[in-house]
Amino acid sequence: MNLFDASLTVNLAGISLANPLIAASGCYGYGFDYRRWIDPGDWGAIVVKGTTLRPRTGNPPPRLVETPSGMLNAIGLQNPGIDFFLKSIRPQLPELQCPVLVNIAGETLEEYRQLAAILNSVTEVSGIEVNISCPNVKRGGVSFGGDPALVEELIGLVREVYRLPLIVKLSPDAGNIVSVAEAAWRAGADALSLINTIKGMVIDVQKRRPVLGNITGGLSGPAIRPVAVRAVWEVSAAVSIPVIGMGGIMQADDALEFILAGACAVAIGTANFINPAVAREISQGLRQYLCDHGFSHYRELIGAARP
Ligand SMILES: Cc1cc2nc3c(=O)[nH]c(=O)nc-3n(C[C@H](O)[C@H](O)[C@H](O)COP(=O)(O)O)c2cc1C
């Protein structure tokens, strides 16, 4: 089989992607800044930074610190808000030439509902990712995502007003991620994204103080990959909607781990900070793997590690 015969296309909850690689929320801005290094069309889709009803200034600095095999961030959902997105970002989205999803976050159920209602009429946006798993905000985020009953209520409210693909983003910090996944599925989610960062902290022993201004932050990168693969394995066995796997994907073999565990697509976050061409390299690596092992479509590998 020829390398280019190996197919990476996927229909993810009704969205057609050229490949299963998605730029993870918060790690790719609005997709425009990376254009000098990579064609945004190398991605299957781009998820933009967590967007809130009102602009947010985020947490006090320092907000990032490198850790063994990863990094800790406490951005605190800094973003210019939905009005800025509609006025300044929306008109440019067609230039990206791949589907764009908006990650939404609220401090109350009503804020999530309002954001979803606004985005329901934005045709340039292919779907929303509901972030109920941010570890770096005091209200909303993972404090909502840990309670299956609350998740079912929240996603039910969003579902009532949002007709396009609705993805829910989960965290293992939520406790029982499978129960939360099932609650989101029952409430009408079309797909699930997992995992968000895991809460952690780093202390500067010279200053004898926490390094981050927020004290704690979210751990991402290869350090969390085994936790994420396990979460995808368990959740994809429990629900019948597609799972998007993420957490420490740096190269094609990492993406394959998630696919073999049951992910229909994968998202890449931290790797973008050190290798802006990561999407192109991983899609080439996936094609090479399919070719070397005699598969014509990566679909044949989804969940294939299951005995
Ligand atoms: C700097 C930074 C900002 C992030 N911002 C968001 C965000 O706004 N919304 C969200 O759902 N996830 C956010 N995330 C989590 C990532 O989308 C992703 O779930 C997580 O980092 C695991 O993937 P990775 O190890 O490939 O980075 C952020 C991660 C980082 C590192």
Side-chain angles (χ1 to χ4, degrees):
M1 191 179 60
N2 182 300
L3 202 58
F4 294 99
D5 291 340
S7 178
L8 296 181
T9 57
V10 56
N11 183 309
L12 184 73
I15 311 171
S16 290
L17 311 191
N19 66 57
L21 308 178
I22 300 172
S25 176
C27 303
Y28 209 70
Y30 291 111
F32 302 108
D33 300 339
Y34 280 83
R35 275 187 299 187
R36 76 178 96 145
W37 295 291
I38 181 178
D39 178 355
D42 285 348
W43 291 101
I46 293 172
V47 184
V48 305
K49 174 70 189 162
T51 300
T52 49
L53 266 187
R54 283 170 296 280
R56 284 178 65 102
T57 51
N59 288 326
R63 295 167 166 195
L64 286 180
V65 56
E66 202 169 327
T67 58
S69 294
M71 74 181 197
L72 209 57
N73 91 81
I75 307 297
L77 292 179
Q78 178 188 356
N79 79 98
I82 190 72
D83 289 343
F84 176 88
F85 176 82
L86 295 175
K87 218 177 287 165
S88 305
I89 303 297
R90 174 187 186 175
Q92 302 180 60
L93 291 179
E95 289 173 30
L96 294 175
Q97 294 184 340
C98 72
V100 174
L101 294 111
V102 176
N103 179 282
I104 62 167
E107 292 189 357
T108 61
L109 303 194
E110 177 55 19
E111 285 187 7
Y112 279 98
R113 198 193 65 80
Q114 281 185 38
L115 281 160
I118 293 168
L119 287 164
N120 187 51
S121 56
V122 179
T123 49
E124 296 86 348
V125 169
S126 300
I128 56 172
E129 183 180 66
V130 183
N131 179 1
I132 51 165
S133 45
C134 181
N136 301 323
V137 287
K138 291 198 175 57
R139 290 180 294 275
V142 78
S143 62
F144 282 175
D147 177 349
L150 191 55
V151 169
E152 195 164 346
E153 186 185 352
L154 167 59
I155 302 306
L157 285 172
V158 169
R159 183 77 284 179
E160 271 172 27
V161 296
Y162 194 74
R163 305 273 162 256
L164 293 164
L166 190 174
I167 300 167
V168 181
K169 184 151 178 188
L170 310 176
S171 160
D173 278 351
N176 186 344
I177 194 169
V178 173
S179 306
V180 178
E182 287 170 337
W185 177 35
R186 272 197 305 275
D190 297 306
L192 302 171
S193 266
L194 52 140
I195 59 173
N196 208 320
T197 56
I198 300 173
K199 195 169 180 178
M201 76 183 282
V202 174
I203 293 180
D204 181 330
V205 294
Q206 297 307 322
K207 294 184 183 152
R208 294 179 288 282
R209 291 195 183 290
V211 170
L212 294 176
N214 189 53
I215 301 181
T216 61
L219 183 63
S220 62
I224 68 169
R225 194 165 58 236
V227 178
V229 171
R230 183 272 299 171
V232 167
W233 177 271
E234 289 180 358
V235 168
S236 62
V239 300
S240 301
I241 47 176
V243 168
I244 303 165
M246 73 200 76
I249 296 176
M250 310 300 279
Q251 54 191 0
D253 277 5
D254 306 337
L256 281 161
E257 264 199 77
F258 281 90
I259 293 166
L260 291 166
C264 297
V266 295
I268 300 166
T270 302
N272 291 290
F273 292 92
I274 54 171
N275 178 11
V278 66
R280 191 179 319 141
E281 289 174 15
I282 292 185
S283 51
Q284 278 163 5
L286 291 180
R287 281 207 174 83
Q288 188 66 56
Y289 183 94
L290 295 178
C291 219
D292 291 348
H293 294 83
F295 296 102
S296 55
H297 197 289
Y298 89 92
R299 192 189 305 121
E300 297 166 62
L301 299 172
I302 298 172
R306 218 164 274 286

